[in-house]
Amino acid sequence: MFVLETVLTDGIAQLSYLVGDTETGRAAVIDPRTDVEIYEKLARKHGVSITHIFETHIHADFVSGSLSLSARLGSADIWLSGENADYQFPGNVISNGDTFDFGAFFLVARHTPGHTPEHLSFEICEAKNPDRPFAVFTGDSLFVGSAGRPDLLGGDQTQALSEDLYRTLYDYYLKLDDFVTIYPGHGAGSACGADIGDRLSSTIGYERRTNAFLKFPDMQTFQEFVINDAPPVPWHYPELKKVNASGPDVMDRLPTIRALPPDKFRKVMREAGVTTLDTRSMLAFGGGHVPGAINIGDRPEMSAWVGQMFDLDQRLLLIVDDDEDIEQIQRLTVRTGHSEFAGYLAGGMKAWEVAGLPLESTRQITVEELREMQMSQNDFTLLDVRSPAEWESGHIPGAQHHFIADMRDRISGLDKADRYVTYCASGYRASIASSLMQSRGFSDVFNVPGSWSAWKAVGYDIEKPEEATV
């Protein structure tokens, strides 16, 4: 029997797959994530053995788990693109058209460049209909409602890759039958494509009729669309590409993190290369936190924001709600390349408080309080830390745009002696921004829980950039 399991990794919106045949007992995993035990569990559930591990391309948004999965299983070979590829670790080489027999079905490799030069997709064909695929694992070439971005390798390659992407979409995908199901490498929320749809799969026919990337009459207008409309490249993407090309560390288990009592924790904070990361909610953080800590809350999107905000060689010193949360926090951080830990605060903030050590707070204000501050003409600067696209779609009147990702290295143009209020879509990124500002000497910073969502919910006025210049 044919089996197909989709693994969604929340926070980075990454999709990986286990596909197999229970009659032959053979199975493959496509684009595994770092915490690989889930694939072993799925294989046991269906009574199959993972014999093949396929990579569609060199990933930029998460650390590949291929080497870890191969080491854990001891019986699965890694298969890598041989089409203009830059892999620097051992693996079996795949070329366009190579076919893999799993019994009831075949996987056929297709070179689909554009997102990257080496990118492969994998058609699924029934053994009795080997020349007519019924589905295709598209990797980062074609998404639901979107397509892979061609600009992640830098400006000198973007033009050529956008031409490759056009040919991949129009000369390959649009020539497939309408009934062919697509299983992409990412879902909504990933920065590997613009405005990826919410559904985890689609069909060629549906995408043919609805996907804006498939509606351009010529290559030039297509190129203008995909290059000009791409979201900002997250800082950590180029770094993770290097990690995945050279071969990530094998992680058969999560690294050990030292439990540190408050006095030892305070000493380690002062060590070079250490970043203190408070993973509690913004309200808990605001009420009281260790001075200098940066707040990135324990939610799935923590993976992307830890990757975005910190260098890979920084050692993370963790503060958690409960000591039992440590393993979950580790899983979220290692997915985007952070596996260096300086320790965690044993007993959490309660232990810190009982030890009588210094506390810092971040005032949390409602949108009603923010509106009152504006009406009373209090002297403060309102910072919108959302993405450029979010800012363009509308913002709170009087706000300045300072995208949070641009603050990681330098907070320019702002006087540390002034008062600031930060907001985003929900308050999550605003809390990252306000805590980052406090850690760098801004002493009077407020955060707005609920932020833009709450502002709109109560019906306050909004402004768009063109309105602000009239």
Side-chain angles (χ1 to χ4, degrees):
M1 184 177 70
F2 175 78
V3 295
L4 173 61
E5 294 274 6
T6 301
V7 177
L8 170 63
T9 303
D10 287 332
I12 57 174
Q14 188 259 340
L15 295 167
S16 54
Y17 301 91
L18 180 139
V19 56
D21 179 10
T22 59
E23 293 297 319
T24 63
R26 296 194 297 271
V29 171
I30 298 172
D31 290 338
R33 69 190 193 191
T34 307
D35 38 335
V36 298
E37 62 274 10
I38 189 170
Y39 308 108
E40 188 176 40
K41 291 178 181 178
L42 289 173
R44 289 172 178 170
K45 169 185 170 183
H46 293 288
V48 295
S49 171
I50 298 171
T51 56
H52 294 67
I53 301 167
F54 294 109
E55 290 281 353
T56 58
H57 65 292
I58 300 173
H59 304 287
D61 63 308
F62 71 101
V63 174
S64 167
S66 289
L67 288 170
S68 293
L69 182 57
S70 179
R72 183 182 183 94
L73 298 173
S75 59
D77 292 330
I78 298 173
W79 294 82
L80 307 169
S81 174
E83 304 281 354
N84 303 312
D86 191 29
Y87 290 103
Q88 297 154 33
F89 60 94
N92 298 285
V93 175
I94 309 174
S95 298
N96 182 60
D98 284 353
T99 300
F100 301 84
D101 182 357
F102 288 86
F105 70 94
F106 296 159
L107 288 182
V108 182
R110 297 299 180 195
H111 185 211
T112 50
H115 178 63
T116 63
E118 79 285 349
H119 194 286
L120 296 175
S121 298
F122 293 92
E123 297 174 350
I124 319 174
C125 307
E126 291 180 311
K128 58 186 177 182
N129 294 300
D131 298 322
R132 194 164 195 182
F134 66 86
V136 58
F137 296 107
T138 62
D140 286 17
S141 56
L142 178 63
F143 299 124
V144 176
S146 185
R149 56 192 300 174
D151 61 335
L152 294 185
L153 297 185
D156 57 335
Q157 298 189 57
T158 298
Q159 189 76 11
L161 284 173
S162 64
E163 293 175 5
D164 288 341
L165 182 62
Y166 183 85
R167 286 187 283 266
T168 286
L169 296 177
Y170 287 78
D171 295 342
Y172 171 63
Y173 284 115
L174 285 180
K175 292 183 179 179
L176 294 174
D177 291 322
D178 277 359
F179 61 75
V180 173
T181 302
I182 69 165
Y183 295 106
H186 289 287
S190 169
C192 289
D195 300 320
I196 300 174
D198 290 333
R199 292 174 295 113
L200 301 187
S201 63
S202 185
T203 63
I204 292 295
Y206 189 83
E207 295 306 305
R208 191 191 311 277
R209 291 162 179 78
T210 62
N211 191 325
F213 286 77
L214 303 179
K215 294 184 177 297
F216 287 89
D218 59 78
M219 185 180 292
Q220 182 177 350
T221 55
F222 172 81
Q223 287 178 298
E224 292 172 357
F225 174 72
V226 298
I227 295 173
N228 295 337
D229 286 10
V233 177
W235 175 88
H236 60 299
Y237 277 23
E239 296 303 310
L240 288 187
K241 270 199 170 291
K242 295 176 185 176
V243 170
N244 286 323
S246 62
D249 292 338
V250 171
M251 285 194 181
D252 191 38
R253 65 180 182 86
L254 292 169
T256 299
I257 304 182
R258 297 181 297 166
L260 302 175
D263 56 342
K264 179 63 174 175
F265 186 93
R266 194 180 188 190
K267 290 179 182 177
V268 174
M269 282 184 67
R270 302 188 182 104
E271 294 179 4
V274 169
T275 295
T276 304
L277 177 60
D278 191 323
T279 67
R280 297 174 301 147
S281 72
M282 72 182 87
L283 295 179
F285 179 85
H289 57 263
V290 173
I294 296 171
N295 179 223
I296 305 182
D298 178 8
R299 287 173 21 180
E301 55 264 48
M302 178 183 174
S303 297
W305 284 107
V306 170
Q308 181 84 305
M309 299 308 294
F310 306 131
D311 292 341
L312 291 179
D313 59 358
Q314 287 182 278
R315 297 164 58 219
L316 300 182
L317 194 56
L318 302 176
I319 299 170
V320 297
D321 252 332
D322 188 298
D323 289 24
E324 293 184 358
D325 296 337
I326 283 294
E327 184 173 314
Q328 168 64 12
I329 298 300
Q330 282 182 278
R331 291 183 185 280
L332 293 175
T333 59
V334 299
R335 286 174 184 166
T336 48
H338 286 275
S339 57
E340 297 293 327
F341 298 96
Y344 74 92
L345 179 59
M349 287 305 299
K350 182 178 180 181
W352 185 271
E353 294 161 9
V354 170
L357 295 173
L359 283 171
E360 192 172 63
S361 62
T362 306
R363 184 175 170 187
Q364 311 288 308
I365 61 171
T366 65
V367 290
E368 289 84 0
E369 291 174 301
L370 171 58
R371 180 62 176 154
E372 290 173 5
M373 289 174 65
Q374 289 183 317
M375 296 296 289
S376 63
Q377 297 184 333
N378 281 353
D379 188 15
F380 72 97
T381 300
L382 179 61
L383 301 180
D384 184 323
V385 302
R386 297 175 301 160
S387 70
E390 291 173 292
W391 166 260
E392 293 289 336
S393 69
H395 53 262
I396 297 175
Q400 294 182 16
H401 185 230
H402 282 259
F403 182 34
I404 174 60
D406 293 336
M407 292 183 174
R408 67 175 303 275
D409 292 322
R410 180 183 305 163
I411 302 175
S412 57
L414 301 178
D415 189 334
K416 292 182 178 180
D418 290 347
R419 171 172 290 180
Y420 298 93
V421 177
T422 62
Y423 82 92
C424 60
S426 67
Y428 184 84
R429 288 171 291 172
S431 191
I432 301 175
S434 59
S435 64
L436 186 68
M437 292 175 72
Q438 283 187 305
S439 73
R440 296 182 182 175
F442 290 80
S443 59
D444 197 1
V445 185
F446 296 3
N447 183 55
V448 185
S451 283
W452 177 242
S453 296
W455 185 270
K456 291 193 299 179
V458 298
Y460 291 146
D461 291 341
I462 66 172
E463 182 177 79
K464 293 190 176 181
E466 60 269 21
E467 297 170 353
T469 60
V470 174

